[in-house]
C-alpha cells in the first residue's frame, strides 16, 4: 500500500500530460505563413518550421530553396488532441492555402512549396485520405486537390531565424502583405478555435 502511494505521489503530472501530446506535420507553401496560423490555435503547444520529405541529410535553407533536395518547407505541430483534434488541424490546413496547385503557393514556385500532409500514424493517414476524398468528391475547390499524403520521415529543423518568424518580424513587407491577410482570414473563419 505504501509503495503504491509513493509511486502515485512521485508521478509527474507534466510528464503525463506530455505523453498525451501528438504531432502533425504539414507543408502548405512558405513555412513562415503556416507557422503563424497554427501558433494561434487553441490546443497547439508548439510549431516548428523545418524541412521534410527529401533525400539529402541536414539540408540548409539555401539547399531546399534550389528545389533539388526533394524537401518541402513544413511545420511540425505539437498539439493536445483533447483540445483540438487532428481533423480540425486538417480543416485549417486545407482552408488556409490552395491545395489544387501543384508545387506552388502564390508567387512561391517549386517542389519545396508543395501541399503535403506527413502522417505520423495510420489513424492520421486514414483521416487525411478520407478528408481529401470528400473535398474532391464534393468539388469543394472546383479543381482536384493535389495534396500529397506521405508517411512522416526525418524532420530537419530550420535555422533559428526562421522560427517564430511572423511574431519577430511582423512589420516586414512580406509579413504585412502575405501573412497578415491569412491571419485575418483565420480570425474570421476559425474564431472559435483560437487562443484567447
Amino acid at each position: 500500500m505504501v509503495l503504491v502511494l509513493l509511486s502515485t505521489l512521485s508521478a509527474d503530472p507534466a510528464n503525463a500530460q506530455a505523453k498525451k501530446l501528438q504531432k502533425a506535420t504539414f507543408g502548405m507553401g512558405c513555412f513562415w505563413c503556416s507557422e503563424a496560423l497554427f501558433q494561434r490555435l487553441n490546443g497547439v503547444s508548439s510549431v516548428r518550421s523545418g524541412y521534410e520529405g527529401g533525400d539529402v541529410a541536414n539540408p540548409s535553407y539555401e539547399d531546399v530553396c534550389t528545389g533539388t533536395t526533394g524537401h518541402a518547407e513544413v511545420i511540425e505541430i505539437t498539439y493536445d488532441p483533447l483540445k483540438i483534434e487532428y481533423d480540425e488541424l486538417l480543416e485549417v490546413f486545407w482552408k488556409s492555402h490552395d491545395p489544387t496547385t501543384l508545387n506552388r503557393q502564390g508567387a512561391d514556385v517549386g517542389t519545396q512549396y508543395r501541399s503535403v500532409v506527413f502522417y505520423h500514424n495510420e489513424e492520421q493517414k486514414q483521416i487525411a485520405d478520407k478528408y481529401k476524398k470528400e473535398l474532391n468528391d464534393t468539388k469543394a475547390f472546383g479543381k482536384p486537390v493535389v495534396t500529397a499524403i506521405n508517411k512522416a520521415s526525418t524532420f530537419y529543423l530550420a535555422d533559428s531565424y526562421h522560427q517564430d518568424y511572423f511574431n519577430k518580424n511582423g512589420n516586414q513587407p512580406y509579413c504585412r502583405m502575405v501573412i497578415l491577410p491569412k491571419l485575418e482570414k483565420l480570425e474570421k473563419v476559425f474564431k472559435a478555435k483560437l487562443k484567447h
Side-chain angles (χ1 to χ4, degrees), residues 7-19:
S7 68
T8 304
L9 291 174
S10 67
D12 179 3
N15 193 29
Q17 176 63 21
K19 290 180 182 171

Side-chain angles (χ1 to χ4, degrees), residues 13-27:
N15 193 29
Q17 176 63 21
K19 290 180 182 171
K20 295 177 186 173
L21 297 178
Q22 294 185 15
K23 291 202 181 306
T25 305
F26 302 135

Side-chain angles (χ1 to χ4, degrees), residues 3-196:
L3 286 175
V4 171
L5 182 58
L6 285 174
S7 68
T8 304
L9 291 174
S10 67
D12 179 3
N15 193 29
Q17 176 63 21
K19 290 180 182 171
K20 295 177 186 173
L21 297 178
Q22 294 185 15
K23 291 202 181 306
T25 305
F26 302 135
M28 47 192 282
C30 172
F31 49 34
W32 296 343
C33 299
S34 312
E35 176 192 64
L37 296 169
F38 284 88
Q39 284 176 329
R40 285 157 174 71
L41 296 176
N42 187 34
V44 170
S45 59
S46 71
V47 182
R48 303 188 315 159
S49 293
Y51 319 106
E52 194 161 333
D55 51 14
V56 173
N58 299 306
S60 68
Y61 179 66
E62 291 74 21
D63 293 338
V64 173
C65 283
T66 67
T68 61
T69 68
H71 293 89
E73 285 194 17
V74 298
I75 52 166
E76 183 184 73
I77 302 161
T78 302
Y79 69 99
D80 182 348
L82 298 176
K83 293 182 180 175
I84 190 164
E85 295 179 9
Y86 186 69
D87 61 339
E88 293 177 286
L89 294 173
L90 282 173
E91 181 182 9
V92 174
F93 165 76
W94 266 306
K95 288 183 177 175
S96 298
H97 77 294
D98 183 351
T100 69
T101 55
L102 189 63
N103 302 327
R104 171 184 208 121
Q105 286 302 309
D108 295 329
V109 179
T111 57
Q112 67 271 31
Y113 300 115
R114 66 188 178 271
S115 176
V116 59
V117 171
F118 287 105
Y119 61 87
H120 291 266
N121 56 48
E122 193 57 32
E123 181 186 16
Q124 286 186 354
K125 180 184 187 312
Q126 290 174 2
I127 293 169
D129 282 337
K130 182 179 178 211
Y131 204 138
K132 179 180 173 181
K133 183 179 184 318
E134 286 176 10
L135 290 172
N136 280 328
D137 288 351
T138 61
K139 297 183 179 17
F141 290 97
K143 297 183 278 187
V145 170
V146 297
T147 304
I149 300 173
N150 303 131
K151 185 172 177 44
S153 56
T154 305
F155 172 82
Y156 295 101
L157 187 65
D159 293 315
S160 60
Y161 71 91
H162 290 297
Q163 309 302 325
D164 206 24
Y165 190 85
F166 177 79
N167 293 330
K168 293 176 183 173
N169 302 282
N171 288 327
Q172 295 288 335
Y174 181 86
C175 292
R176 289 198 321 267
M177 292 176 5
V178 179
I179 301 175
L180 198 55
K182 288 178 180 258
L183 291 175
E184 289 167 352
K185 178 182 175 186
L186 181 80
E187 291 198 17
K188 286 180 189 165
V189 178
F190 295 105
K191 191 171 183 61
K193 294 185 188 339
L194 300 181
K195 293 174 182 172
H196 303 290

